[in-house]
Amino acid sequence: MFEDQFIFDWPIAVNDGVYLFRALAVDQAGWETEVIHQITIDTQPPVVAISQPIDQSLQGQRIEIKGTVTDSNLSFYNLSYRESNNPVDQWHLIHSGINELSDAAIYEWLHHLQSGTYQVQLLAQDQVGLQAETTVEFTLDTNAPEPALYLNAERVNTNDVQLAWQASVSQDVAGYRVYRNNQLLNQTLITQSSYQDLSLPDGDFTYWVVAVDHASNSSDPSNSELVVIDTTAPQVFLLAPANGQLVSGEIDIVGTATSTDDFKVLRLYYRPATDPAPGQLLAQSTLPVTGEKLAELTTTGLNNDTDYLIRLEAEELTGNLAAVEHSIHVDNLPPAAPLNLTYQLANGNDVTLNWQANSETDLAGYLVYRNGEIISGNGTIQSSIITDITFIDDDVVDGVHDYHVVAVDQAFNISTASNVVQVAINQRAPDTHLIEPADGEE
């Protein structure tokens, strides 16, 4: 019989797990009472392992620590470090946790230690107080390598960039990282001293290179290089002469050559249609133009009845080039003069002119002149050409008038004058005066 408290020493001979512990008390009268407690039996320490860093490895300024901490009754784990070659150095806590891990990231350690040999310890304790620990040793190299030198970046193949640099002089360089506009381009280190960045869109791109050693230490950046990718060609248009136009004499060449913000030069050429481009340089300018006269071309020195090409080129500072060509046909041979100009007078002052039609296949029409001035239009050649071989000049004022006609072809060559016809118009009544006797004389 026990009073108050009792101690019972139970040698555990069961597997780990959750059990119910029952205490039953019976008095001499047969009365019973009991107490049941749930207990957990745990005789196994936690399982701990460090998978990274690897034992006896070389590490740099940033160390990613991965490992395993498992125990169904885990209380906590601690991650600590100390110097390997200092027997009196204590463990220094760098991280702790309470959750289980299975080959997972434990801590990313950005330390400020000096180069040397160190140990990292992973210690775990369960709720019973059982502990387990594991340790790895590694060498720290915190000295950054020397940077890469003389980075050069060139645009190639329109929208690719070729990079080249002088290798770092450090002996332990594992490779290089290439950056464009603050973004890393290569996830795997490059071991050579060159890199090609392909198929870039239009824009401005700044590059630099960082050397990385075997301990993953990064050097200072190299010099930076700016590359502009511009695949948008300049705008070029020829507004005059029209493509396929027949031309003669001096012609104005009107066009547009522009670019967004990097215009370099425009060049204007002409050549026989059978010759290779670009031809004979007629004009050039470093100023962009929009719908402006570019030059005059005198066709009288060119081969008659021959096709020529007018070529307008525009080039940008990035090397983009655009060109447009128009064909012209040089015709400086005027048509023959119209023949057999005659007239008929009706109503006293309406003059009807007739003449014989020309036979040229490129004939545009005729111009009619009275007293040396064009009367078949508004006075300009282009708007005054008529295609009929009859013209009526009505309500002509009194006087003697000389008429003639010229022929005009599609290149605006003008023939010599036809024969001249002279027409006298007199619609006024005759004047009469009495001289004698004087008015009122007796």
Side-chain angles (χ1 to χ4, degrees), residues 148 151 165 176-179 207-211 219-223:
L151 174 65
W165 58 90
Y176 301 89
R177 294 190 178 108
V178 179
Y179 292 84
Y207 293 88
W208 63 89
V209 174
V210 170
S219 72
D220 290 334
S222 68
N223 60 295

Side-chain angles (χ1 to χ4, degrees), residues 164-397:
W165 58 90
Q166 181 176 307
S168 168
V169 297
S170 299
Q171 298 300 311
D172 60 342
V173 170
Y176 301 89
R177 294 190 178 108
V178 179
Y179 292 84
R180 182 225 301 147
N181 292 354
N182 292 322
Q183 291 186 340
L184 178 64
L185 295 183
N186 56 304
Q187 298 301 320
T188 303
L189 291 178
I190 298 170
T191 56
Q192 68 271 20
S193 300
S194 63
Y195 183 80
Q196 194 169 45
D197 197 12
L198 303 176
S199 302
L200 293 166
D202 284 7
D204 297 348
F205 301 98
T206 301
Y207 293 88
W208 63 89
V209 174
V210 170
V212 181
D213 64 18
H214 289 284
S216 299
N217 297 308
S218 297
S219 72
D220 290 334
S222 68
N223 60 295
S224 62
E225 283 282 287
L226 173 65
V227 177
V228 177
I229 299 296
D230 178 8
T231 60
T232 303
Q235 294 183 324
V236 288
F237 305 100
L238 277 172
L239 305 178
N243 191 32
Q245 182 175 327
L246 275 68
V247 297
S248 63
E250 288 190 351
I251 60 171
D252 290 341
I253 301 177
V254 180
T256 293
T258 63
S259 180
T260 303
D261 54 10
D262 59 346
F263 186 84
K264 180 181 179 181
V265 65
L266 68 84
R267 292 180 286 265
L268 185 66
Y269 301 91
Y270 72 94
R271 71 183 191 276
T274 56
D275 286 0
Q280 179 68 39
L281 183 65
L282 182 62
Q284 72 176 18
S285 173
T286 57
L287 299 177
V289 296
T290 302
E292 297 180 21
K293 179 179 176 180
L294 304 175
E296 289 183 355
L297 177 62
T298 301
T299 67
T300 53
L302 304 181
N303 295 329
N304 194 58
D305 196 24
T306 302
D307 290 330
Y308 283 80
L309 291 174
I310 296 175
R311 178 183 179 89
L312 176 60
E313 290 182 353
E315 184 179 354
E316 295 177 332
L317 295 173
T318 55
N320 293 323
L321 182 70
V324 62
E325 292 187 340
H326 276 192
S327 171
I328 59 173
H329 185 81
V330 175
D331 178 9
N332 284 307
L333 183 64
L339 300 176
N340 301 325
L341 176 63
T342 61
Y343 79 94
Q344 290 181 342
L345 188 62
N347 302 322
N349 64 345
D350 294 338
V351 179
T352 299
L353 301 172
N354 291 278
W355 59 92
Q356 182 177 317
N358 282 49
S359 60
E360 290 85 0
T361 57
D362 63 340
L363 187 72
Y366 306 91
L367 299 175
V368 180
Y369 290 79
R370 183 207 316 130
N371 299 331
E373 295 183 356
I374 298 174
I375 61 172
S376 54
N378 62 10
T380 64
I381 293 177
Q382 287 86 346
S383 63
S384 300
I385 296 174
I386 62 173
T387 56
D388 291 338
I389 57 174
T390 297
F391 182 80
I392 298 176
D393 189 18
D394 53 9
D395 294 326
V396 181
V397 299

Side-chain angles (χ1 to χ4, degrees), residues 111-165:
H111 60 81
H112 299 283
L113 302 177
Q114 300 296 319
S115 295
T117 304
Y118 293 85
Q119 292 177 330
V120 165
Q121 179 196 69
L122 179 60
L123 180 147
Q125 179 174 307
D126 64 17
Q127 295 176 10
V128 177
L130 299 174
Q131 292 185 347
E133 66 179 62
T134 185
T135 304
V136 296
E137 186 176 64
F138 55 87
T139 300
L140 276 185
D141 174 9
T142 60
N143 297 317
E146 293 295 319
L149 300 175
Y150 309 121
L151 174 65
N152 181 61
E154 293 184 357
R155 189 185 75 156
V156 296
N157 303 326
T158 305
N159 63 338
D160 300 335
V161 173
Q162 180 67 49
L163 303 174
W165 58 90

